[in-house]
Amino acid sequence: MAGVAASQPAHAGAKRSAWKVDSYALFWGLPLALWQAMFFVAPLVFLIVMTFWSVKDFRLEPAFDTGNWVGMFSKGYVIDTYFRTLGYGALAAAVCSILAFPASFALAFKASPAVQRIGLFLLITPFFTSYLVRVYSWQTVLSDNGLLNAAFGYVGLGPFDMLNTLFGTLVGYLTLTLPLVVLLQFFSMSNVDRNLIEAAHNLDCGRIRTVFQVIIPSAKIGLILAATFAFILCFGDLVSPSSLGGSKPPTLSILIVDTVKQGNHWPRAAVVAVVMVLTLIVIAFTALYFAYSTKSTKKVRA
């Protein structure tokens, strides 16, 4: 009986301690939850509700009309635009991740602390200026009479059509995402355990094999999240496909603008926006699953 009595206060103390921890987490997590509810959940709910409204005499009228969904996705060009935008985002994320990897690898494993600080500062510097200004500056570089074609002309090449093409759109996407992807990859690879690399070298594992079997699996979370951020930013971007891609063929963001301009049809534009948000949510959670999954983790073998 004495042992049971002695254990009861300890059990009660454990409950009180757990309650204190939960209250502390709730206190600090409540502002974030309120922020998400006010600026993400509430606008998303309103956007979904708007997809069922109707437009009469260029005015929005609350209703429950599924014709907006049927009208948008019964058109073949909307489906084509959806998969085109997916393809553009995936291509930009892949190209950006590949181009960023050597730079982030060099900063993480080859550069001295002083060089790392300078490199991080240079990566942050582009965000001091407007993304719109940076994209417009590319027009003078990529145009038929721009700097690149002028340089190609000196060696007897060109002119090449780079503006108002997919290449121009990708250049704009990289302008937006490349510094961010390099930063995320760098932070991820900086946390790789150096003892694993030394162990791989002791087991006669070459440099390239060490990169693919030790560094990349160890930095998997950061690499996947960096590519996901790049995809999210490119998937919803309007500036690059309109300013450098010529808006033809259009992406979903351009389709939203065109739909609003045609008869002030906000509900149909809301349909496209909701589909974009739902697509990004699915992709984000899929990326998180693969990033934190331990099933695909590779081990170094001799």
Side-chain angles (χ1 to χ4, degrees):
M1 294 296 291
V4 174
S7 62
Q8 287 180 350
H11 183 65
K15 283 187 175 180
R16 286 195 296 269
S17 177
W19 172 249
K20 289 181 180 179
V21 173
D22 293 341
S23 300
Y24 183 81
L26 179 62
F27 174 78
W28 289 106
L30 186 60
L32 178 60
L34 292 175
W35 179 275
Q36 292 293 332
M38 292 176 59
F39 296 101
F40 179 74
V41 178
L44 179 60
V45 172
F46 177 74
L47 198 64
I48 294 174
V49 172
M50 187 187 292
T51 61
F52 299 101
W53 289 7
S54 60
V55 176
K56 293 182 180 179
D57 297 329
F58 301 98
R59 293 184 178 181
L60 285 173
E61 292 187 0
F64 186 78
D65 185 7
T66 58
N68 296 318
W69 289 87
V70 176
M72 290 300 291
F73 287 95
S74 61
K75 301 174 181 177
Y77 74 88
V78 176
I79 305 297
D80 294 339
T81 303
Y82 176 78
F83 286 105
R84 181 185 307 114
T85 309
L86 276 177
Y88 282 8
L91 178 61
V95 172
C96 187
S97 298
I98 294 173
L99 293 179
F101 188 84
S104 56
F105 178 86
L107 283 175
F109 297 104
K110 303 298 182 181
S112 63
V115 174
Q116 287 181 353
R117 289 191 292 269
I118 296 174
L120 293 178
F121 175 77
L122 293 177
L123 289 171
I124 296 173
T125 300
F127 297 102
F128 293 171
T129 59
S130 171
Y131 166 54
L132 181 62
V133 174
R134 285 181 282 153
V135 167
Y136 272 113
S137 66
W138 275 108
Q139 292 184 349
T140 61
V141 178
L142 301 179
S143 64
D144 293 340
N145 298 320
L147 298 178
L148 279 180
N149 276 319
F152 289 141
Y154 281 113
V155 294
L157 299 176
F160 299 103
D161 292 330
M162 292 179 284
L163 195 62
N164 300 329
T165 62
L166 175 58
F167 176 78
T169 301
L170 289 177
V171 170
Y173 285 159
L174 293 177
T175 302
L176 173 64
T177 59
L178 187 59
L180 177 62
V181 172
V182 173
L183 286 172
L184 292 176
Q185 288 186 357
F186 165 73
F187 291 137
S188 180
M189 283 191 278
S190 296
N191 293 322
V192 174
D193 190 354
R194 276 17 182 210
N195 293 327
L196 295 177
I197 300 176
E198 293 296 331
H201 291 165
N202 292 335
L203 293 172
D204 294 332
C205 189
R207 294 182 178 180
I208 297 179
R209 188 179 178 186
T210 301
V211 170
F212 283 97
Q213 292 193 348
V214 177
I215 296 176
I216 291 180
S218 299
K220 178 184 68 172
I221 295 176
L223 297 179
I224 293 178
L225 294 182
T228 304
F229 272 112
F231 176 85
I232 291 173
L233 293 175
C234 296
F235 185 78
D237 184 38
L238 171 66
V239 177
S240 291
S242 59
S243 299
L244 299 179
S247 302
K248 294 180 181 181
T251 59
L252 288 177
S253 56
I254 296 174
L255 184 61
I256 291 176
V257 176
D258 292 342
T259 304
V260 173
K261 289 180 178 179
Q262 296 173 359
N264 201 28
H265 215 304
W266 289 95
R268 292 191 177 182
V271 170
V272 180
V274 169
V275 171
M276 293 179 69
V277 172
L278 295 179
T279 300
L280 292 179
I281 290 175
V282 171
I283 290 176
F285 278 98
T286 303
L288 288 174
Y289 171 77
F290 284 105
Y292 290 96
S293 175
T294 58
K295 295 180 181 180
S296 59
T297 302
K298 297 180 180 180
K299 296 182 180 180
V300 180
R301 297 180 180 179

